[in-house]
Amino acid sequence: MAALTSPCKSKIRLEAENAALRHQLLVLRRKLRGRVKLANSDRWFFIQLYRWFPSILEVLTVIRPETLVRWHRAGFRCYWRLKSRPLGGRPQIATELRGLIRQMSMENPLWGAPRIHGELLKLGFEVAQSSVAKYMVKRRGLGFTTQVQHLLGCCGDGKMLWPAQP
Protein backbone atom coordinates (compact mmCIF):
# COMPACT_ATOMS: atom_id res chain seq x y z
CA MET A 1 0.00 0.00 0.00
CA ALA A 2 2.86 2.40 0.79
CA ALA A 3 4.33 1.78 -2.68
CA LEU A 4 1.09 3.05 -4.24
CA THR A 5 0.91 6.26 -2.21
CA SER A 6 4.61 7.09 -2.44
CA PRO A 7 4.49 8.59 -5.96
CA CYS A 8 1.64 10.88 -4.88
CA LYS A 9 3.64 12.58 -2.13
CA SER A 10 5.07 15.96 -2.89
CA LYS A 11 8.79 16.28 -3.37
CA ILE A 12 9.18 18.64 -0.40
CA ARG A 13 7.35 16.22 1.89
CA LEU A 14 9.57 13.37 0.76
CA GLU A 15 12.67 15.50 1.40
CA ALA A 16 11.38 16.32 4.89
CA GLU A 17 10.84 12.62 5.64
CA ASN A 18 14.33 11.83 4.33
CA ALA A 19 15.80 14.57 6.51
CA ALA A 20 13.98 13.15 9.54
CA LEU A 21 15.23 9.63 8.79
CA ARG A 22 18.81 10.83 8.25
CA HIS A 23 18.77 12.80 11.46
CA GLN A 24 17.49 9.76 13.34
CA LEU A 25 20.42 7.76 11.95
CA LEU A 26 22.85 10.44 13.12
CA VAL A 27 21.31 10.34 16.60
CA LEU A 28 21.55 6.54 16.70
CA ARG A 29 25.22 6.64 15.66
CA ARG A 30 25.99 9.03 18.53
CA LYS A 31 24.40 6.65 21.03
CA LEU A 32 26.93 4.80 23.19
CA ARG A 33 24.71 2.27 24.95
CA GLY A 34 21.24 2.21 26.44
CA ARG A 35 18.77 4.96 25.75
CA VAL A 36 19.18 7.51 23.01
CA LYS A 37 20.19 10.89 24.43
CA LEU A 38 18.88 13.74 22.36
CA ALA A 39 20.50 17.16 22.45
CA ASN A 40 18.40 20.31 22.45
CA SER A 41 19.39 20.87 18.83
CA ASP A 42 17.92 17.45 17.94
CA ARG A 43 14.68 18.30 19.68
CA TRP A 44 14.56 21.66 17.93
CA PHE A 45 15.16 20.01 14.55
CA PHE A 46 12.34 17.49 15.01
CA ILE A 47 9.97 20.15 16.31
CA GLN A 48 10.63 22.43 13.33
CA LEU A 49 10.09 19.58 10.92
CA TYR A 50 6.87 18.71 12.73
CA ARG A 51 5.69 22.32 12.53
CA TRP A 52 6.22 22.44 8.78
CA PHE A 53 5.36 18.81 7.98
CA PRO A 54 3.08 17.13 10.54
CA SER A 55 3.21 13.95 8.45
CA ILE A 56 6.76 13.15 9.67
CA LEU A 57 5.17 11.57 12.74
CA GLU A 58 4.74 8.46 10.59
CA VAL A 59 8.50 8.00 10.05
CA LEU A 60 9.77 8.74 13.55
CA THR A 61 11.25 5.69 15.23
CA VAL A 62 13.78 7.10 17.69
CA ILE A 63 11.12 9.03 19.61
CA ARG A 64 7.42 8.49 20.03
CA PRO A 65 5.15 10.91 18.17
CA GLU A 66 3.46 11.85 21.48
CA THR A 67 6.84 12.94 22.82
CA LEU A 68 7.41 15.23 19.86
CA VAL A 69 3.97 16.79 20.26
CA ARG A 70 4.63 17.25 24.01
CA TRP A 71 7.94 19.04 23.25
CA HIS A 72 6.18 21.27 20.77
CA ARG A 73 3.49 22.24 23.30
CA ALA A 74 6.07 22.82 26.03
CA GLY A 75 8.01 25.15 23.73
CA PHE A 76 4.82 27.02 22.90
CA ARG A 77 4.01 27.45 26.62
CA CYS A 78 7.57 28.60 27.35
CA TYR A 79 7.44 31.14 24.52
CA TRP A 80 4.21 32.74 25.73
CA ARG A 81 5.33 32.64 29.37
CA LEU A 82 8.42 34.64 28.41
CA LYS A 83 6.41 36.93 26.14
CA SER A 84 3.82 37.81 28.80
CA ARG A 85 6.18 38.50 31.70
CA PRO A 86 6.62 42.06 32.93
CA LEU A 87 9.42 43.85 31.14
CA GLY A 88 10.53 46.06 33.99
CA GLY A 89 9.82 49.68 34.68
CA ARG A 90 8.60 50.92 38.00
CA PRO A 91 8.17 48.35 40.75
CA GLN A 92 4.60 47.35 41.46
CA ILE A 93 2.78 49.16 44.26
CA ALA A 94 1.35 46.92 46.95
CA THR A 95 -2.40 46.31 46.83
CA GLU A 96 -2.82 47.62 50.37
CA LEU A 97 -1.10 50.89 49.44
CA ARG A 98 -3.31 51.29 46.38
CA GLY A 99 -6.35 50.74 48.58
CA LEU A 100 -5.06 53.32 51.06
CA ILE A 101 -4.57 55.87 48.26
CA ARG A 102 -8.12 55.27 47.01
CA GLN A 103 -9.53 55.47 50.53
CA MET A 104 -7.69 58.73 51.29
CA SER A 105 -8.82 60.30 48.02
CA MET A 106 -12.46 59.30 48.62
CA GLU A 107 -12.53 60.45 52.25
CA ASN A 108 -10.76 63.73 51.45
CA PRO A 109 -12.08 64.89 48.08
CA LEU A 110 -10.38 68.27 48.32
CA TRP A 111 -6.94 66.69 48.63
CA GLY A 112 -4.99 66.34 45.44
CA ALA A 113 -2.09 64.05 44.63
CA PRO A 114 0.54 66.34 46.24
CA ARG A 115 -1.29 66.39 49.59
CA ILE A 116 -1.92 62.62 49.64
CA HIS A 117 1.68 62.04 48.58
CA GLY A 118 2.89 64.19 51.48
CA GLU A 119 0.68 62.34 53.96
CA LEU A 120 1.93 58.97 52.70
CA LEU A 121 5.54 60.16 53.09
CA LYS A 122 4.76 61.14 56.69
CA LEU A 123 3.39 57.64 57.24
CA GLY A 124 6.60 56.14 55.85
CA PHE A 125 5.46 54.99 52.40
CA GLU A 126 7.93 55.58 49.56
CA VAL A 127 5.79 56.26 46.52
CA ALA A 128 5.99 58.78 43.69
CA GLN A 129 3.45 61.57 43.39
CA SER A 130 2.61 60.45 39.86
CA SER A 131 1.78 56.98 41.18
CA VAL A 132 -0.51 58.53 43.79
CA ALA A 133 -2.26 60.48 41.03
CA LYS A 134 -2.59 57.30 39.00
CA TYR A 135 -4.36 55.37 41.77
CA MET A 136 -6.57 58.18 43.08
CA VAL A 137 -10.33 57.98 42.56
CA LYS A 138 -11.26 59.84 39.40
CA ARG A 139 -14.08 62.31 39.90
CA ARG A 140 -16.11 62.85 36.77
CA GLY A 141 -19.03 65.13 36.14
CA LEU A 142 -18.41 67.59 38.97
CA GLY A 143 -16.07 70.51 38.56
CA PHE A 144 -13.89 71.67 41.43
CA THR A 145 -16.18 74.57 42.41
CA THR A 146 -19.25 72.30 42.36
CA GLN A 147 -17.45 69.86 44.66
CA VAL A 148 -16.56 72.67 47.09
CA GLN A 149 -20.12 73.99 47.06
CA HIS A 150 -21.46 70.48 47.60
CA LEU A 151 -19.15 69.93 50.56
CA LEU A 152 -19.92 73.31 52.08
CA GLY A 153 -23.65 72.88 51.55
CA CYS A 154 -24.09 75.88 49.25
CA CYS A 155 -26.44 76.32 46.33
CA GLY A 156 -25.22 77.67 43.06
CA ASP A 157 -26.22 81.20 44.11
CA GLY A 158 -24.10 81.08 47.29
CA LYS A 159 -26.98 80.72 49.77
CA MET A 160 -26.69 78.06 52.43
CA LEU A 161 -28.88 74.95 52.08
CA TRP A 162 -29.54 74.83 55.81
CA PRO A 163 -30.03 77.60 58.31
CA ALA A 164 -27.02 78.92 60.14
CA GLN A 165 -26.55 77.75 63.72
CA PRO A 166 -27.04 80.44 66.39
Side-chain angles (χ1 to χ4, degrees):
M1 192 68 168
L4 295 176
T5 59
S6 183
C8 298
K9 292 182 183 178
S10 69
K11 186 174 181 176
I12 296 174
R13 188 174 156 199
L14 282 174
E15 288 176 2
E17 287 181 7
N18 284 339
L21 291 170
R22 285 189 180 129
H23 198 79
Q24 289 181 81
L25 286 174
L26 289 173
V27 168
L28 288 173
R29 285 185 189 144
R30 274 192 314 222
K31 178 179 88 159
L32 296 175
R33 57 173 132 48
R35 281 179 54 173
V36 173
K37 294 206 177 201
L38 293 169
N40 286 335
S41 59
D42 299 326
R43 290 184 181 95
W44 181 83
F45 178 78
F46 286 127
I47 288 169
Q48 290 301 322
L49 269 181
Y50 170 68
R51 287 175 83 190
W52 295 324
F53 305 101
S55 63
I56 67 153
L57 291 177
E58 301 166 1
V59 297
L60 290 177
T61 56
V62 174
I63 55 173
R64 291 190 306 232
E66 300 86 39
T67 306
L68 181 65
V69 173
R70 189 180 73 235
W71 290 343
H72 184 256
R73 288 180 181 157
F76 192 77
R77 277 193 307 270
C78 182
Y79 171 78
W80 283 107
R81 188 177 305 123
L82 288 173
K83 189 95 167 140
S84 63
R85 70 182 173 169
L87 297 176
R90 283 191 185 160
Q92 289 288 322
I93 294 178
T95 309
E96 296 84 20
L97 183 56
R98 282 185 276 176
L100 181 61
I101 293 170
R102 290 185 65 79
Q103 179 184 355
M104 288 175 79
S105 68
M106 286 184 346
E107 291 175 357
N108 306 297
L110 296 179
W111 288 7
R115 174 75 185 265
I116 294 175
H117 176 248
E119 296 295 325
L120 289 172
L121 289 176
K122 289 177 193 174
L123 293 172
F125 292 106
E126 285 292 325
V127 63
Q129 183 177 326
S130 59
S131 297
V132 172
K134 178 180 176 181
Y135 293 114
M136 284 178 58
V137 174
K138 306 287 188 270
R139 291 176 184 80
R140 295 195 176 116
L142 296 177
F144 180 73
T145 55
T146 312
Q147 288 179 8
V148 173
Q149 289 173 353
H150 179 70
L151 289 172
L152 296 176
C154 298
C155 299
D157 58 358
K159 296 180 183 173
M160 299 299 286
L161 292 176
W162 58 83
Q165 297 292 331

